[in-house]
Amino acid sequence: MSPGKKRKRYPGWKMALVFLAPFTVVYLLFLIYPTIQVLYLSFTNADIAGIGEFTGVQNYVKLLFKDPVFWRALGNTVYFILLTVVPNTLVGLLLAFLLEKMRWFKGLAQVFFFLPYILPVSVVTQIWLWVLNTNYGVYNFFLGNKINWFQTPNVGMPAVAFITIWWTVGFNVLLFIAGLKSIPREYYEAAAIDGADRGFTVFWRITWPLLWPVTSLVLLLQLIAQWQIFNQIYLLTSGGPFNSTTVVLHYMYVEAFQKNHGGYASTISIALFVIILITSLIQLRLLRLRGNT
Amino acid sequence: MKVTWRKSLMISLLTLIPVFGWSQTEIVLWDFLSGGDGVRWHQIVDGFNASQSQYKISGTTLTWGDPFYAKVHVAVVAGETPDVMTYHLSHFPAGMKAGDLRPFSAAELASVGLKVADFNPALTKVSLDISKSFGKAGVLYGVPLDTHTSVLYYNKDLLAKAGLLGKDGTPTGINGIANFTAALKKLKALGVTPLAWSSSGDSATVWRLFSTLYYQQGGVFAAGGKLKLDQLDTYGKTALTQMASWASDGLIPQNIDYGSAIALFSSGQAGFMINGNWETTTMVDLEKAGKLPFKYGVSAIPQFYGNQATWADSHELAIPANAKKPISPEKLKGVLTFIKYVEQHADIWAGGGHLPAYLPVLNGPVLKQMSPINQYAVQAAKDVTLDPVNPAFGVGDPVYGYVDNFITPAIYGQGAVADGIKQFKDALVSGQ
C-alpha cells in the first residue's frame, strides 16, 4: 500500500489530531491525571500537599468501620437529596405550567424566576443570611419569632434545602418550558375532539408521558448535583450544629483543609465518586424502564 | 559606519545600566492583614521601601485563617514560597508539624542587631516551648511582632446610668462572675443590650471568650504537646453553662455576627462589648469623626474566676521552609533588615491596639501617650494566655470548626451543654 492510498482512506487525520490535541491534553492533565492521583492518595497518609506513605487499605477500613461522622455525613447528604431532588423538580414543573398559562408579562415572570440562578452562591447565601437573620431578619421580624434558622438542629437542613431550591429552580423551569413547547399541539386538539377535557386526564395521558424525557433528565442532573452539596453548607452552617448539617463533601473539606488529612480526604472523595456512579446508573436504568412503559 | 556602531553600542549599554547597576533585590511577602490592620501594615511596608533602595518588598494579602495556612503549606511543598510571611504564634504547632517554618539562628538575628531578649518574654517563652515539643529546644521559628488579645469595651454613659462607673471613669463592681452577671442585669434593666458579643459565623470570638473563662478557672487543654481534656468536664462545663445562662437571660444577643456586635456597641445600644483590641481603631475613628454618640473606655478583661488569664495570640514574621529553593543569603539579609525595620516602627502597628512585642517600643514613651491602648496595655500584657501547644489549636486549625459545630449551639440552647462538651472533646481526640 502506497502512502498516497493511505492518505486517501483517512483524509485529514493529521488535521483532526491537531484539533483534538488541545482538549485531549487538558482533559488528561487536569481531569484524568488528578483522578488517578486521588485514587493513589486514598491509600496513603498524605497531608494536603505531600505524597505521604503508603498505608494500604487502612483509610478504607477507617471509613467503613471506625468513623461514625462519615456515616452521619452520608445520612445527612441523603436527607438533603430527599429534601431537594423531587421537590425541586415538582416546583420547577409547576412554575413552568403557570408560566405557560400566563397571558401577560410572561417574559418578565420568566426572568424573575431565572434570576436567582445566575447569582453566585456566595451572593445567594448572603441574601438569605440577611433575610433569615435571627435578630434583624425580615422573616423573623414579620413572624415575631427568634428562630435561629442555621443553628438549630432539625431546622438547619430544611433551611439550606429551601434556599437551594430557590436558587436553582429557575434552570429546571427553563428545561420544562422547553419540554412543554416541544409537545405538538395536535395531541391536545385530538384529545379535545375525543372528549377529553383540558384537565387532569390530559395532563396524565399526554403531557406527563411526553414530558418524561425532560423530567428524567432534570431528576438525574439534580441527583448528581445534590450529592455534591458543599457551598451552601460551608457558607451557611459550617456543618453545625452538632454535625446536623455535615454533608460528605464538607466533611471531606474539614478532613483535608482543617485537619490536614489529605489521604483520608481522598478516600472520602473516592467513596463519594463510587456512590454517585452507582446511584446514577440505578437511576438511569429505573427512569428508562419508566419511560418505556 | 564604525562610529555609528560604537555609538549605538554605547547607547544600548547605557540603557542596560539601570537594570544591572541599580537593581533592587525583590522580597516577596505574604500577609493576611486586612481592614485597619492592613492599612497600617502597608504604611510600614511602604515606609521600608522608601527608607532604602537595596530591597523592595512586594506584598500580597491573602485570606485570613485556614485558606492562608493551606496556601503556605502547598507553597512549601511545591518550592514556590514567599521570602517572608506573617504568621500566628497559635498556628506554630500545626506549622511545625507540617514542616512549613524555617528557624532563625541567633547569628542571623544578631546580624541586624536583634536578640531573643528584645521581645516580650511571654511570647518567646511560648514560641520556644513549641519548638521544644517538636524536639528543637532553643530554636526560634518566628520573630514576634505583637500580642493581640480580647479586651472589654464599655459605654461610660450607660455604665454611669446603671451605677457601674467608678469615680476614676472605669467600670466598678464587675470582677467576679456573679458581680459581672449582676452588672449585665442592671444594664438590661435600662433596656439596652448588656454585652455586645458576636457568635454567628464567628467561631473565633466564641473560642476567645470560652477559652478565657476556662483558663481563668485554671483549665488547660494540652500538656507537653499532648491533649489533656479532662478539665473540660468541670471547668469547661462551668464556662459553657455560664455562657448559656447569659444567652437564656437575654444578657448577650442571640447569634449576631461580627459586624452587628460592633454596630450595637458603637451606636450606643450596648453597655459592654468583648472583642479584640484591634477594634479600638473603629472607636478612635468614629470618635474623631464625631460619630460616636457616647464616651467609651477600654479595659483588660475582668477577673471572672480564680485568675485573670485572657486569650491572646501573636502576629509573627516567619520565613517559609523552602527545601527546594532555600532562601538566598542576599534575600535573607533583606528579610532580616525588613524585620528590624518593622520592629522599630511597631508604634505604627500599635495604632491598631496591638501590644508591640519589641520591648524598646512596648516600654517606650510613644506608647505611654497612646490612647486607648494605654488604658489596658499594662494589665492585658500580664494576662496574656496563648492557645494550647497542640496542632488542633490555633488560627486556621480544627478547633474553630469544632467550636462552631458544638460550643456555639450549646450556648443558645440548641443542644445540651453536656452534649456540646462531649462532642467537642470527641472531635478534638479524633482529629489528632
Side-chain angles (χ1 to χ4, degrees):
Chain A
M1 207 193 310
S2 75
K5 262 187 181 173
K6 199 177 182 182
R7 191 175 292 161
K8 268 176 197 162
R9 273 185 71 185
Y10 304 103
W13 65 275
K14 276 186 186 163
M15 199 44 86
L17 265 189
V18 169
F19 280 118
L20 280 173
F23 172 77
T24 314
V25 168
V26 169
Y27 184 71
L28 288 174
L29 204 62
F30 293 106
L31 214 84
I32 298 302
Y33 173 71
T35 309
I36 294 169
Q37 274 293 309
V38 168
L39 187 63
Y40 171 74
L41 285 174
S42 72
F43 293 100
T44 67
N45 63 357
D47 63 12
I48 55 163
I51 308 300
E53 289 157 16
F54 191 77
T55 55
V57 293
Q58 210 172 305
N59 286 338
Y60 287 90
V61 172
K62 180 183 170 192
L63 184 86
L64 292 174
F65 304 111
K66 293 177 194 160
D67 190 358
V69 182
F70 170 73
W71 292 101
R72 180 90 198 268
L74 191 62
N76 287 339
T77 314
V78 171
Y79 178 45
F80 179 77
I81 286 170
L82 288 175
L83 288 173
T84 50
V85 173
V86 173
N88 206 350
T89 309
L90 287 180
V91 173
L93 188 61
L94 190 72
L95 289 176
F97 267 120
L98 292 176
L99 284 171
E100 273 298 283
K101 301 271 181 228
M102 278 180 83
R103 286 174 189 226
W104 297 291
F105 306 118
K106 199 174 184 174
L108 199 67
Q110 281 180 7
V111 168
F112 279 135
F113 282 117
F114 194 70
L115 214 54
Y117 186 71
I118 61 170
L119 295 176
V121 65
S122 48
V123 175
V124 170
T125 52
Q126 202 60 45
I127 290 171
W128 284 98
L129 281 170
W130 284 338
V131 173
L132 296 181
N133 185 299
T134 314
N135 297 279
Y136 314 113
V138 183
Y139 194 84
N140 279 1
F141 175 77
F142 281 118
L143 286 194
N145 65 26
K146 286 265 181 190
I147 294 180
N148 192 336
W149 292 94
F150 303 111
Q151 282 288 333
T152 309
N154 304 330
V155 175
M157 197 58 111
V160 175
F162 170 77
I163 291 163
T164 306
I165 293 174
W166 179 86
W167 179 37
T168 57
V169 77
F171 186 66
N172 297 342
V173 172
L174 206 67
L175 290 176
F176 279 124
I177 287 178
L180 285 173
K181 283 212 167 110
S182 71
I183 299 175
R185 295 285 117 198
E186 292 81 8
Y187 290 157
Y188 293 110
E189 286 160 13
I193 291 167
D194 289 347
D197 205 358
R198 275 221 140 205
F200 184 73
T201 319
V202 175
F203 171 78
W204 193 244
R205 297 285 176 188
I206 300 173
T207 315
W208 181 246
L210 288 172
L211 208 55
W212 182 249
V214 177
T215 313
S216 61
L217 176 74
V218 168
L219 282 171
L220 188 68
L221 289 178
Q222 284 290 316
L223 189 71
I224 294 173
Q226 308 311 0
W227 267 118
Q228 301 179 47
I229 167 78
F230 170 76
N231 294 331
Q232 297 96 299
I233 295 290
Y234 176 73
L235 292 164
L236 291 168
T237 69
S238 311
F242 298 119
N243 279 336
S244 64
T245 60
T246 295
V247 289
V248 174
L249 272 188
H250 189 264
Y251 185 52
M252 190 276 286
Y253 162 80
V254 168
E255 283 291 328
F257 294 97
Q258 287 184 352
K259 298 187 191 170
N260 251 337
H261 296 162
Y264 188 56
S266 303
T267 311
I268 297 172
S269 304
I270 294 291
L272 185 63
F273 173 75
V274 171
I275 290 168
I276 294 181
L277 195 70
I278 292 172
T279 49
S280 304
L281 288 175
I282 293 173
Q283 198 189 17
L284 209 59
R285 175 64 59 93
L286 284 176
L287 296 181
R288 276 212 188 119
L289 284 177
R290 200 57 210 286
N292 288 341
T293 49
Chain B
M1 273 303 277
K2 214 173 187 181
V3 177
T4 332
W5 181 82
R6 269 191 191 163
K7 262 187 185 167
S8 57
L9 184 72
M10 271 180 72
I11 289 167
S12 52
L13 277 177
L14 275 170
T15 54
L16 281 176
I17 283 175
V19 182
F20 291 107
W22 288 290
S23 79
Q24 291 178 311
T25 304
E26 196 194 28
I27 309 281
V28 179
L29 159 78
W30 283 5
D31 67 68
F32 44 70
L33 303 161
S34 59
D37 276 354
V39 173
R40 274 174 294 278
W41 180 245
H42 286 133
Q43 193 185 335
I44 298 173
V45 170
D46 294 345
F48 175 74
N49 283 340
S51 74
Q52 45 76 48
S53 56
Q54 211 177 345
Y55 306 105
K56 183 175 186 319
I57 304 281
S58 58
T60 307
T61 302
L62 304 164
T63 311
W64 185 94
D66 55 319
F68 181 84
Y69 292 113
K71 190 148 183 159
V72 165
H73 181 59
V74 172
V76 165
V77 172
E80 295 294 336
T81 62
D83 302 308
V84 61
M85 58 189 172
T86 54
Y87 217 89
H88 289 96
L89 182 53
S90 63
H91 192 76
F92 271 32
M96 299 267 306
K97 189 182 168 193
D100 290 347
L101 294 165
R102 175 198 181 278
F104 289 88
S105 74
E108 285 164 4
L109 290 176
S111 73
V112 288
L114 291 173
K115 56 185 184 298
V116 172
D118 290 338
F119 299 97
N120 184 346
L123 301 176
T124 47
K125 183 187 176 299
V126 171
S127 185
L128 292 171
D129 280 353
I130 296 167
S131 303
K132 198 176 165 189
S133 79
F134 284 90
K136 306 277 181 190
V139 185
L140 202 65
Y141 280 83
V143 182
L145 170 59
D146 69 25
T147 314
H148 49 281
T149 184
S150 295
V151 288
L152 182 73
Y153 296 80
Y154 52 93
N155 180 322
K156 289 188 180 181
D157 301 1
L158 289 176
L159 257 58
K161 260 191 218 168
L164 296 166
L165 203 67
K167 279 181 193 141
D168 60 348
T170 63
T172 177
I174 59 165
N175 275 333
I177 197 80
N179 290 337
F180 187 74
T181 305
L184 294 182
K185 284 183 175 157
K186 279 182 194 162
L187 285 161
K188 197 190 174 195
L190 296 178
V192 296
T193 302
L195 173 64
W197 179 75
S198 56
S199 57
S200 175
D202 189 8
S203 50
T205 297
V206 178
W207 164 247
R208 287 164 193 154
L209 184 57
F210 174 69
S211 62
T212 296
L213 294 174
Y214 183 72
Y215 297 142
Q216 289 205 358
Q217 300 170 70
V220 295
F221 291 100
K226 296 263 187 304
L227 286 179
K228 186 178 179 301
L229 301 175
D230 50 306
Q231 289 163 324
L232 270 174
D233 292 321
T234 50
Y235 302 149
K237 258 181 202 160
T238 305
L240 194 52
T241 308
Q242 183 60 57
M243 292 165 93
S245 87
W246 284 343
S248 61
D249 291 346
L251 303 178
I252 51 173
Q254 283 279 333
N255 279 79
I256 55 170
D257 59 23
Y258 191 91
S260 306
I262 292 163
L264 262 183
F265 183 75
S266 62
S267 62
Q269 295 176 56
F272 291 109
M273 173 170 80
I274 290 182
N275 205 323
N277 58 237
W278 49 91
E279 289 304 337
T280 51
T281 55
T282 311
M283 300 303 144
V284 170
D285 292 348
L286 284 173
E287 195 170 51
K288 219 183 265 172
K291 286 181 184 162
L292 206 63
F294 60 92
K295 288 223 164 8
Y296 80 98
V298 189
S299 80
I301 294 291
Q303 180 172 347
F304 297 116
Y305 295 105
N307 63 59
Q308 207 168 341
T310 302
W311 167 89
D313 202 340
S314 165
H315 292 127
E316 308 256 328
L317 290 163
I319 299 176
N322 194 336
K324 286 184 182 155
K325 293 178 208 158
I327 188 166
S328 68
E330 172 62 10
K331 286 199 169 200
L332 180 63
K333 186 86 202 303
V335 167
L336 291 165
T337 313
F338 172 64
I339 290 176
K340 175 73 185 272
Y341 181 91
V342 172
E343 297 295 354
Q344 285 175 327
H345 293 78
D347 50 338
I348 299 175
W349 190 239
H354 306 302
L355 310 173
Y358 191 52
L359 294 174
V361 178
L362 181 66
N363 301 326
V366 180
L367 222 68
K368 288 199 171 62
Q369 301 301 320
M370 201 182 263
S371 182
I373 195 169
N374 56 9
Q375 297 175 30
Y376 59 84
V378 175
Q379 183 62 44
K382 283 184 205 158
D383 303 338
V384 163
T385 308
L386 274 298
D387 276 343
V389 181
N390 183 279
F393 298 93
V395 170
D397 296 320
V399 72
Y400 282 74
Y402 305 153
V403 165
D404 240 352
N405 206 337
F406 308 120
I407 299 294
T408 308
I411 294 173
Y412 294 103
Q414 272 107 23
V417 165
D419 284 348
I421 292 288
K422 187 187 174 295
Q423 295 195 45
F424 181 64
K425 259 171 92 171
D426 288 351
L428 279 168
V429 171
S430 77
Q432 284 292 295

